[in-house]
Amino acid sequence: MGKSMDAIMALCKRRGFVYQASEIYGGINGFWDYGPLGTLLKRNLREAWWQDMIMNPCWGRQGPDGEPVRCVPVETRIIQHPRVWEASGHVGGFNDPMVDCKACKSRFRADHLIALPLHALTSVETAGEQSREVFVFYGLGTPAEVRQQRAKEIARLEAQRTLQSLVPPLVYLHNYETLKADFECPACRQRGSLTAPRQFNLMFKTYVGATASEDDIAYLRPETAQGIFVQFKNVVDTTRIKVPFGIGNVGTSFRNEVTPRNFTFRSREFEQAELEFFCHPDDSQGWYRFWRDFRMEWWRSIGLAGDNLQLREHDQDELSHYSTGTCDVEYRFPFTAPDFGELEGVAHRGCFDLTQHQEHSRVKLDYFDQERGELLPNGSRKGERYIPHVIEPAAGLDRGALALICEAYTVDESRPSPEIMKFHPRMAPIKAAVFPLVNKDGMPEVAQKLTDELRARFGRHGLIESDPKQSIGKRYARMDEAGCPYCFTIDGDTLTDQTVTVRDRDSGAQERIAIDKVSGYLSERLGL
Ligand code: GAP
């Protein structure tokens, strides 16, 4: 049987992983806070990304060019000049089509909509100066099934030669009034009750300065990526780094999602960890494959190791017009099963973003590569000027934390306390716990000394808990629910033979080791 999302959410609340934001005021839809354990879990995830992407990129591996991968960080602001978002296309085009049911008041994203029967209509829409074909698809089923139906429909259109160009998938209700009667609300099943889709811009607006006039409108960033593109030139000019290289940015992004749902999966405020990797256009396919494979391996390395993780290459019809490849690292969440939900996108963005910002800002964003171009008689190269192509691994840290929570959640009815969070030791918020068997006879003092020693050695990686109260069984159970991998117990024997009991979270097995070996034991198992 699959894992129960209700049980996972209950544990998250009970043990302080995730709370509803503003809960005492009734909550606010699409916003979640982290409690002490959730904060530590997410910090471990962020740190792991930072370490393995920036500080020691790809665990010191070489890229497809045979050189070590090079990455640097930036920290850019949530609020940027509004023209950044015009250039990136977010102000004009970052829309979700939204449909309401007049009968039961449910709201749906039209591209997630279930409708009958399957239609594929074409029309021409003018967006700015670009004229593009708009395809309208209505499918019955889950998003994956609808995608399949859409792929079939595209194949049929291609065969008929009616498909002139591939455009980003766009749902647009054409001729709605004549079709309305066909559609039924997926929630209440009433026919003809759905409103026509309205385009809904996902950008949060705010005002900068005191006057709050139209001229002061600014936006909260919907992605951290654009901060990287607009600082690309500064990074090249102020460091000695050379293409190919990556720039990483981690921080909060905001999207006024039409239908925030599935716990933290689709929130209105969330954290991203994005890397923009700049390379020569000729090398971009090699780097695309490199990053796609590495990102999949990375998620596996922190505990998403089973068949709940998959890599899905986008179909041609899902690709943006500037992209020659995009794939998603997907996780089978309990609420998406048997389907998968996106954890991270790895996109080949071509030179789209730098070109857009170059055009809108009128600042040259090309790169002079001294190591390319014709070989000169003196043995050096003539150099080549180009706009680098970009491979973008874009991860969501809240979705990542949610996947880690769902993966860790295990029910073992044979154990006295059946709920166990089997976090990978690197991700575990509590790294170890130290218990005096009883709170007397010199045991608390020995436990405190060991706790102090372990905190000094491992404290920067996570909590070292010390808990003298309640029965030992209850203390183990509390640590199992918190996902603490190792508990050390000081008992009467410790005082005579200097050994402690170590209990393994996953198996419940216990063994005795010398107290002066505890630090080494933990270091080996935590990989620290
Ligand atoms: N710069 C590219 C970009 O932002 P994206 O696929 O829209 O790409 C990247 O977002 C990642 O950010 C997603 O894979 C997901 O993990 C996370 N993300 C996006 N929207 C989210 C939301 N509303 N709530 C939580 N995480 C979200």
Side-chain angles (χ1 to χ4, degrees), residues 36-110:
L37 291 183
T39 305
L40 289 166
L41 173 70
K42 229 184 105 184
R43 172 185 173 269
N44 290 344
L45 179 62
R46 189 188 301 111
E47 281 295 315
W49 188 94
W50 190 259
Q51 183 62 28
D52 301 343
M53 296 292 278
I54 307 291
M55 305 308 285
N56 181 27
C58 311
W59 307 319
R61 279 192 197 157
Q62 293 173 348
D65 57 354
E67 297 288 329
V69 180
R70 293 181 293 262
C71 295
V72 292
V74 290
E75 182 188 304
T76 69
R77 296 282 68 102
I78 287 169
I79 293 183
Q80 300 281 335
H81 195 290
R83 289 187 58 208
V84 169
W85 308 113
E86 287 164 23
S88 68
H90 285 91
V91 171
F94 196 44
N95 299 321
D96 270 349
M98 182 178 71
V99 162
D100 290 300
C101 174
K102 283 188 275 191
C104 71
K105 311 290 177 220
S106 303
R107 174 166 286 178
F108 310 95
R109 261 172 63 173

Coordinates of all heavy atoms in Angstrom, one line a residue, residues 36-110:
P36 N 11.5 23.5 13.9 CA 12.9 23.2 14.1 C 13.5 22.1 13.2 O 14.6 22.3 12.6 CB 13.0 22.9 15.6 CG 11.8 23.7 16.1 CD 10.7 23.6 15.1
L37 N 12.8 21.0 13.2 CA 13.4 19.8 12.4 C 13.4 20.1 10.9 O 14.3 19.8 10.2 CB 12.7 18.5 12.8 CG 12.9 18.0 14.2 CD1 12.2 16.6 14.3 CD2 14.4 17.8 14.5
G38 N 12.3 20.7 10.4 CA 12.2 21.0 9.0 C 13.2 22.0 8.6 O 13.8 21.9 7.5
T39 N 13.5 23.0 9.4 CA 14.5 24.0 9.1 C 15.8 23.4 9.0 O 16.6 23.7 8.0 CB 14.5 25.1 10.3 OG1 13.2 25.6 10.4 CG2 15.5 26.2 10.0
L40 N 16.1 22.4 9.9 CA 17.4 21.8 9.8 C 17.5 20.9 8.6 O 18.6 20.8 7.9 CB 17.7 21.0 11.1 CG 18.0 21.8 12.3 CD1 17.8 21.0 13.6 CD2 19.3 22.4 12.2
L41 N 16.4 20.2 8.3 CA 16.4 19.3 7.1 C 16.7 20.1 5.8 O 17.5 19.8 5.0 CB 15.1 18.6 7.0 CG 14.8 17.8 5.7 CD1 15.7 16.5 5.8 CD2 13.4 17.3 5.6
K42 N 16.0 21.2 5.7 CA 16.1 22.1 4.5 C 17.5 22.7 4.5 O 18.1 22.8 3.4 CB 15.1 23.1 4.5 CG 14.4 23.2 3.1 CD 13.4 24.3 3.0 CE 14.0 25.4 2.1 NZ 13.1 26.6 2.1
R43 N 18.0 23.0 5.6 CA 19.4 23.6 5.7 C 20.4 22.5 5.2 O 21.3 22.8 4.4 CB 19.7 24.0 7.1 CG 21.2 24.4 7.3 CD 21.4 24.7 8.8 NE 22.8 25.0 9.0 CZ 23.6 24.0 9.4 NH1 23.2 22.8 9.5 NH2 24.9 24.3 9.7
N44 N 20.2 21.3 5.6 CA 21.1 20.2 5.1 C 21.0 20.0 3.6 O 22.0 19.8 2.9 CB 20.8 18.9 5.8 CG 21.1 18.9 7.3 OD1 21.9 19.8 7.7 ND2 20.6 18.0 8.1
L45 N 19.8 20.1 3.1 CA 19.6 20.0 1.6 C 20.3 21.2 0.9 O 21.0 21.0 -0.1 CB 18.1 20.0 1.3 CG 17.7 19.9 -0.1 CD1 18.2 18.5 -0.7 CD2 16.2 19.9 -0.3
R46 N 20.1 22.4 1.4 CA 20.7 23.6 0.8 C 22.2 23.5 0.8 O 22.9 23.7 -0.1 CB 20.2 24.8 1.5 CG 20.6 26.1 0.9 CD 20.2 27.3 1.8 NE 18.8 27.4 2.2 CZ 18.4 27.2 3.4 NH1 19.2 26.9 4.4 NH2 17.1 27.3 3.6
E47 N 22.7 23.1 2.0 CA 24.2 22.9 2.2 C 24.8 21.9 1.2 O 25.9 22.1 0.7 CB 24.5 22.5 3.6 CG 24.4 23.7 4.6 CD 25.5 24.7 4.3 OE1 26.7 24.3 4.1 OE2 25.1 25.9 4.3
A48 N 24.0 20.8 1.1 CA 24.5 19.7 0.2 C 24.6 20.2 -1.2 O 25.6 20.0 -2.0 CB 23.6 18.5 0.3
W49 N 23.6 21.0 -1.7 CA 23.6 21.6 -3.0 C 24.8 22.5 -3.1 O 25.5 22.5 -4.1 CB 22.2 22.3 -3.2 CG 22.1 22.8 -4.7 CD1 21.4 22.2 -5.7 CD2 22.6 24.0 -5.2 NE1 21.5 22.9 -6.8 CE2 22.2 24.0 -6.6 CE3 23.3 25.1 -4.7 CZ2 22.5 25.1 -7.4 CZ3 23.6 26.2 -5.6 CH2 23.2 26.1 -6.9
W50 N 24.9 23.4 -2.1 CA 26.0 24.4 -2.2 C 27.4 23.7 -2.3 O 28.2 24.1 -3.0 CB 25.9 25.2 -0.9 CG 26.7 26.4 -0.8 CD1 27.9 26.6 -0.2 CD2 26.4 27.7 -1.5 NE1 28.4 27.8 -0.4 CE2 27.5 28.5 -1.1 CE3 25.4 28.2 -2.3 CZ2 27.6 29.8 -1.6 CZ3 25.5 29.4 -2.7 CH2 26.5 30.3 -2.4
Q51 N 27.5 22.7 -1.4 CA 28.8 22.0 -1.4 C 29.1 21.3 -2.7 O 30.2 21.4 -3.3 CB 28.8 21.0 -0.2 CG 30.1 20.2 0.0 CD 31.2 21.2 0.4 OE1 31.0 22.2 1.0 NE2 32.4 20.8 0.0
D52 N 28.1 20.6 -3.3 CA 28.3 19.7 -4.4 C 28.2 20.4 -5.8 O 28.5 19.9 -6.8 CB 27.4 18.5 -4.4 CG 27.5 17.7 -3.1 OD1 28.6 17.9 -2.4 OD2 26.6 16.9 -2.7
M53 N 27.7 21.7 -5.7 CA 27.5 22.4 -7.0 C 28.5 23.6 -7.1 O 28.9 24.0 -8.1 CB 26.1 23.0 -7.1 CG 25.0 21.9 -7.2 SD 25.1 21.0 -8.8 CE 24.2 22.1 -9.9
I54 N 28.8 24.2 -5.9 CA 29.6 25.4 -5.9 C 31.0 25.2 -5.3 O 32.0 25.5 -6.0 CB 29.0 26.6 -5.1 CG1 27.5 26.8 -5.6 CG2 29.8 27.8 -5.2 CD1 27.4 27.4 -7.0
M55 N 31.1 24.6 -4.1 CA 32.4 24.5 -3.4 C 33.3 23.4 -4.0 O 34.5 23.6 -4.2 CB 32.2 24.3 -1.9 CG 31.3 25.3 -1.2 SD 31.8 27.0 -1.5 CE 33.3 27.1 -0.5
N56 N 32.6 22.3 -4.3 CA 33.4 21.2 -4.9 C 32.5 20.6 -6.0 O 31.9 19.5 -5.9 CB 33.7 20.1 -3.9 CG 34.5 19.0 -4.4 OD1 35.2 19.1 -5.4 ND2 34.4 17.8 -3.8
P57 N 32.3 21.4 -7.1 CA 31.3 21.0 -8.1 C 31.4 19.6 -8.6 O 32.5 19.1 -9.0 CB 31.5 22.0 -9.3 CG 32.4 23.1 -8.7 CD 33.1 22.5 -7.6
C58 N 30.3 18.9 -8.6 CA 30.2 17.5 -9.1 C 31.2 16.6 -8.5 O 31.8 15.7 -9.2 CB 30.4 17.5 -10.7 SG 29.3 18.7 -11.4
W59 N 31.5 16.8 -7.2 CA 32.4 15.9 -6.4 C 33.8 15.9 -7.1 O 34.4 14.8 -7.1 CB 31.8 14.5 -6.3 CG 30.4 14.5 -5.8 CD1 29.9 15.3 -4.7 CD2 29.3 13.7 -6.2 NE1 28.6 15.0 -4.5 CE2 28.2 14.0 -5.4 CE3 29.2 12.7 -7.2 CZ2 27.0 13.4 -5.6 CZ3 27.9 12.1 -7.3 CH2 26.8 12.4 -6.5
G60 N 34.2 17.0 -7.7 CA 35.5 17.1 -8.2 C 35.7 16.4 -9.6 O 36.8 16.3 -10.1
R61 N 34.6 16.0 -10.2 CA 34.7 15.3 -11.5 C 35.1 16.3 -12.6 O 34.9 17.5 -12.5 CB 33.3 14.8 -11.8 CG 33.1 13.5 -11.2 CD 31.9 12.9 -11.8 NE 31.4 11.9 -10.9 CZ 30.1 11.4 -10.9 NH1 29.3 11.9 -11.7 NH2 29.8 10.5 -10.0
Q62 N 35.5 15.7 -13.7 CA 35.8 16.5 -14.9 C 34.5 16.6 -15.7 O 33.7 15.6 -15.7 CB 36.9 15.8 -15.7 CG 38.2 15.8 -15.0 CD 39.2 14.9 -15.7 OE1 38.9 14.2 -16.6 NE2 40.5 15.1 -15.3
G63 N 34.4 17.7 -16.4 CA 33.3 17.9 -17.3 C 33.6 17.2 -18.7 O 34.7 16.6 -18.8
P64 N 32.7 17.3 -19.6 CA 32.9 16.7 -20.9 C 34.2 17.2 -21.7 O 34.7 16.6 -22.6 CB 31.7 17.0 -21.8 CG 30.9 17.9 -20.9 CD 31.4 18.0 -19.6
D65 N 34.7 18.4 -21.2 CA 35.9 19.0 -21.8 C 37.2 18.4 -21.2 O 38.3 18.8 -21.5 CB 35.9 20.5 -21.8 CG 35.8 21.0 -20.3 OD1 35.6 20.1 -19.4 OD2 35.9 22.2 -20.1
G66 N 37.0 17.5 -20.2 CA 38.2 16.9 -19.6 C 38.8 17.8 -18.5 O 39.8 17.5 -17.9
E67 N 38.2 18.9 -18.2 CA 38.7 19.9 -17.2 C 37.7 19.8 -15.9 O 36.6 19.4 -16.1 CB 38.6 21.3 -17.7 CG 39.5 21.6 -18.9 CD 40.9 21.6 -18.5 OE1 41.3 22.0 -17.4 OE2 41.8 21.2 -19.4
P68 N 38.2 20.1 -14.7 CA 37.3 20.2 -13.6 C 36.2 21.2 -13.8 O 36.4 22.2 -14.5 CB 38.3 20.6 -12.4 CG 39.6 20.4 -12.9 CD 39.6 20.5 -14.4
V69 N 35.0 20.9 -13.3 CA 33.9 21.8 -13.5 C 34.1 23.0 -12.6 O 34.5 22.9 -11.4 CB 32.6 21.0 -13.1 CG1 31.4 21.9 -13.2 CG2 32.4 19.8 -13.9
R70 N 33.8 24.2 -13.1 CA 34.1 25.4 -12.4 C 32.7 26.1 -12.1 O 32.0 26.4 -13.1 CB 35.0 26.4 -13.1 CG 36.4 25.8 -13.3 CD 37.3 26.9 -14.0 NE 36.8 27.0 -15.4 CZ 37.4 26.4 -16.4 NH1 38.4 25.6 -16.2 NH2 37.0 26.6 -17.7
C71 N 32.5 26.5 -10.9 CA 31.2 27.2 -10.6 C 31.5 28.3 -9.5 O 32.3 28.1 -8.6 CB 30.2 26.3 -10.0 SG 29.6 25.1 -11.3
V72 N 30.8 29.4 -9.6 CA 30.9 30.5 -8.6 C 29.5 30.9 -8.1 O 28.6 30.7 -8.9 CB 31.7 31.7 -9.1 CG1 33.1 31.4 -9.4 CG2 31.0 32.3 -10.4
P73 N 29.4 31.4 -6.9 CA 28.0 31.8 -6.5 C 27.8 33.3 -6.7 O 28.7 34.1 -6.8 CB 28.1 31.6 -5.0 CG 29.6 31.8 -4.6 CD 30.4 31.5 -5.8
V74 N 26.5 33.7 -6.7 CA 26.1 35.1 -6.5 C 24.9 35.0 -5.6 O 24.3 34.0 -5.3 CB 25.6 35.8 -7.8 CG1 26.8 36.0 -8.8 CG2 24.5 35.0 -8.5
E75 N 24.6 36.2 -5.0 CA 23.4 36.3 -4.2 C 22.7 37.5 -4.7 O 23.1 38.7 -4.5 CB 23.8 36.4 -2.7 CG 22.6 36.5 -1.8 CD 22.9 36.8 -0.4 OE1 23.7 36.1 0.2 OE2 22.4 37.8 0.1
T76 N 21.6 37.4 -5.4 CA 21.0 38.5 -6.0 C 19.6 38.8 -5.4 O 19.1 37.9 -4.7 CB 20.8 38.3 -7.5 OG1 19.8 37.3 -7.7 CG2 22.1 37.9 -8.2
R77 N 19.1 39.9 -5.6 CA 17.9 40.4 -4.8 C 16.6 39.9 -5.4 O 16.5 39.6 -6.6 CB 17.9 41.9 -4.8 CG 19.0 42.6 -4.1 CD 18.9 42.6 -2.6 NE 19.0 41.3 -2.0 CZ 20.1 40.7 -1.4 NH1 21.2 41.4 -1.3 NH2 20.1 39.5 -0.9
I78 N 15.6 39.8 -4.5 CA 14.3 39.4 -4.9 C 13.6 40.4 -5.8 O 13.0 40.1 -6.7 CB 13.4 39.2 -3.6 CG1 13.9 37.9 -2.9 CG2 11.9 39.1 -3.9 CD1 13.3 37.7 -1.5
I79 N 13.9 41.7 -5.5 CA 13.3 42.7 -6.3 C 14.4 43.2 -7.3 O 15.5 43.6 -6.8 CB 12.8 43.9 -5.5 CG1 11.5 43.3 -4.7 CG2 12.4 45.1 -6.3 CD1 10.8 44.3 -3.9
Q80 N 14.1 43.2 -8.5 CA 15.0 43.7 -9.6 C 14.3 44.8 -10.3 O 13.1 45.0 -10.1 CB 15.3 42.5 -10.6 CG 16.0 41.3 -9.9 CD 17.5 41.5 -9.7 OE1 18.1 42.3 -10.3 NE2 18.0 40.8 -8.7
H81 N 15.0 45.4 -11.2 CA 14.4 46.4 -12.1 C 13.3 45.8 -12.8 O 13.4 44.7 -13.4 CB 15.4 47.0 -13.1 CG 15.0 48.2 -13.7 ND1 14.0 48.3 -14.6 CD2 15.4 49.5 -13.6 CE1 13.8 49.5 -15.0 NE2 14.6 50.3 -14.4
P82 N 12.1 46.4 -12.9 CA 10.9 45.7 -13.6 C 11.3 45.3 -15.0 O 10.7 44.4 -15.5 CB 9.8 46.8 -13.6 CG 10.2 47.8 -12.6 CD 11.7 47.7 -12.3
R83 N 12.2 46.0 -15.6 CA 12.5 45.7 -17.0 C 13.2 44.3 -17.2 O 13.1 43.7 -18.2 CB 13.4 46.8 -17.7 CG 12.5 48.0 -17.9 CD 13.2 49.1 -18.7 NE 13.6 48.6 -20.0 CZ 14.7 49.1 -20.6 NH1 15.4 50.1 -20.0 NH2 15.0 48.7 -21.8
V84 N 13.8 43.8 -16.1 CA 14.4 42.5 -16.1 C 13.3 41.5 -16.4 O 13.5 40.6 -17.2 CB 15.0 42.1 -14.7 CG1 15.3 40.6 -14.6 CG2 16.2 43.0 -14.4
W85 N 12.1 41.7 -15.9 CA 11.0 40.7 -16.1 C 10.3 40.9 -17.4 O 9.6 40.0 -17.8 CB 10.0 40.8 -14.9 CG 10.8 40.6 -13.6 CD1 11.0 41.6 -12.6 CD2 11.5 39.5 -13.1 NE1 11.8 41.1 -11.6 CE2 12.1 39.9 -11.9 CE3 11.8 38.2 -13.7 CZ2 13.0 39.0 -11.2 CZ3 12.6 37.4 -13.0 CH2 13.2 37.7 -11.8
E86 N 10.4 42.1 -17.9 CA 9.9 42.3 -19.3 C 10.8 41.6 -20.3 O 10.3 40.8 -21.2 CB 9.9 43.8 -19.7 CG 8.7 44.5 -18.9 CD 8.9 46.1 -19.0 OE1 9.6 46.6 -19.9 OE2 8.4 46.7 -18.0
A87 N 12.1 41.7 -20.1 CA 13.1 41.1 -21.0 C 13.0 39.5 -20.9 O 13.0 38.8 -21.9 CB 14.5 41.5 -20.6
S88 N 12.8 39.0 -19.7 CA 12.7 37.6 -19.5 C 11.4 37.0 -20.0 O 11.3 35.8 -20.1 CB 12.9 37.2 -18.0 OG 11.7 37.7 -17.3
G89 N 10.4 37.8 -20.2 CA 9.1 37.4 -20.7 C 8.1 37.1 -19.6 O 7.0 36.7 -19.9
H90 N 8.5 37.3 -18.3 CA 7.6 37.0 -17.3 C 6.4 37.9 -17.1 O 5.4 37.5 -16.8 CB 8.4 36.9 -15.9 CG 9.2 35.7 -15.8 ND1 10.5 35.6 -16.2 CD2 8.9 34.4 -15.3 CE1 11.0 34.4 -15.9 NE2 10.1 33.7 -15.4
V91 N 6.7 39.2 -17.4 CA 5.6 40.2 -17.2 C 4.5 39.9 -18.3 O 3.3 39.9 -18.0 CB 6.1 41.6 -17.3 CG1 4.9 42.6 -17.3 CG2 6.9 41.9 -16.1
G92 N 4.9 39.7 -19.5 CA 4.0 39.5 -20.6 C 3.4 38.0 -20.6 O 2.3 37.8 -20.9
G93 N 4.3 37.1 -20.3 CA 3.9 35.7 -20.6 C 3.8 34.7 -19.5 O 3.6 33.5 -19.8
F94 N 4.1 35.1 -18.3 CA 4.1 34.1 -17.2 C 2.7 33.8 -16.7 O 2.4 34.3 -15.6 CB 5.1 34.5 -16.1 CG 5.5 33.4 -15.2 CD1 5.9 32.2 -15.7 CD2 5.6 33.6 -13.9 CE1 6.3 31.2 -14.9 CE2 6.0 32.6 -13.0 CZ 6.4 31.4 -13.5
N95 N 1.9 33.2 -17.5 CA 0.5 33.1 -17.2 C 0.1 31.6 -17.0 O 0.6 30.7 -17.7 CB -0.4 33.6 -18.3 CG -0.1 35.1 -18.6 OD1 0.1 35.8 -17.6 ND2 0.0 35.5 -19.8
D96 N -0.9 31.4 -16.2 CA -1.6 30.1 -16.1 C -3.0 30.4 -16.5 O -3.6 31.3 -16.0 CB -1.5 29.6 -14.7 CG -0.3 28.7 -14.5 OD1 0.4 28.4 -15.5 OD2 0.0 28.3 -13.4
P97 N -3.6 29.6 -17.4 CA -5.0 29.8 -17.7 C -5.8 29.1 -16.6 O -5.5 28.0 -16.1 CB -5.2 29.0 -19.0 CG -4.1 28.0 -19.0 CD -3.0 28.5 -18.1
M98 N -6.8 29.9 -16.1 CA -7.5 29.4 -14.9 C -9.0 29.3 -15.3 O -9.6 30.1 -16.0 CB -7.4 30.6 -13.9 CG -8.0 30.3 -12.6 SD -7.6 31.8 -11.6 CE -8.6 33.0 -12.3
V99 N -9.6 28.3 -14.7 CA -11.0 28.0 -15.0 C -11.8 27.8 -13.7 O -11.2 27.1 -12.8 CB -11.1 26.7 -15.9 CG1 -12.5 26.1 -15.8 CG2 -10.7 26.9 -17.3
D100 N -12.9 28.4 -13.6 CA -13.7 28.2 -12.4 C -15.0 27.4 -12.7 O -15.5 27.5 -13.8 CB -14.1 29.6 -11.8 CG -12.9 30.3 -11.2 OD1 -12.3 29.8 -10.3 OD2 -12.6 31.4 -11.7
C101 N -15.5 26.7 -11.7 CA -16.8 26.1 -11.8 C -17.8 26.9 -11.1 O -17.7 27.2 -9.9 CB -16.8 24.7 -11.2 SG -18.4 23.9 -11.2
K102 N -18.8 27.4 -11.9 CA -19.8 28.3 -11.4 C -20.7 27.5 -10.4 O -21.3 28.1 -9.5 CB -20.7 28.9 -12.5 CG -19.9 30.0 -13.2 CD -20.7 30.7 -14.2 CE -20.7 30.0 -15.5 NZ -21.3 30.7 -16.6
A103 N -20.8 26.2 -10.5 CA -21.7 25.4 -9.6 C -21.0 25.2 -8.3 O -21.6 25.5 -7.2 CB -22.1 24.1 -10.3
C104 N -19.8 24.6 -8.3 CA -19.3 24.2 -7.0 C -18.1 25.1 -6.5 O -17.5 24.9 -5.5 CB -18.8 22.8 -7.0 SG -17.3 22.5 -8.0
K105 N -17.8 26.1 -7.3 CA -16.8 27.1 -7.0 C -15.3 26.6 -7.0 O -14.4 27.2 -6.5 CB -17.0 27.8 -5.7 CG -18.4 28.3 -5.5 CD -18.7 29.5 -6.3 CE -20.1 30.0 -6.2 NZ -20.7 30.4 -7.5
S106 N -15.1 25.3 -7.5 CA -13.8 24.8 -7.6 C -13.0 25.6 -8.6 O -13.6 26.1 -9.6 CB -13.8 23.3 -8.0 OG -14.5 22.6 -7.1
R107 N -11.7 25.6 -8.5 CA -10.8 26.3 -9.5 C -9.8 25.3 -10.0 O -9.2 24.5 -9.2 CB -10.2 27.5 -8.8 CG -9.2 28.2 -9.6 CD -8.8 29.5 -9.0 NE -9.8 30.5 -9.2 CZ -9.8 31.8 -8.8 NH1 -8.7 32.2 -8.1 NH2 -10.8 32.6 -9.0
F108 N -9.5 25.4 -11.3 CA -8.6 24.5 -11.9 C -7.6 25.3 -12.8 O -8.0 26.3 -13.3 CB -9.3 23.5 -12.8 CG -10.4 22.8 -12.1 CD1 -11.7 23.3 -12.3 CD2 -10.2 21.7 -11.3 CE1 -12.8 22.6 -11.6 CE2 -11.2 21.1 -10.7 CZ -12.5 21.5 -10.8
R109 N -6.4 24.7 -13.0 CA -5.6 25.2 -14.0 C -6.1 24.5 -15.3 O -6.2 23.3 -15.3 CB -4.1 24.8 -13.8 CG -3.4 26.0 -13.2 CD -2.0 25.6 -12.7 NE -1.2 25.1 -13.9 CZ 0.1 24.9 -13.7 NH1 0.7 25.0 -12.6 NH2 0.8 24.5 -14.8
A110 N -6.3 25.4 -16.3 CA -6.9 24.8 -17.6 C -6.0 23.7 -18.2 O -6.5 22.7 -18.8 CB -7.2 25.9 -18.6

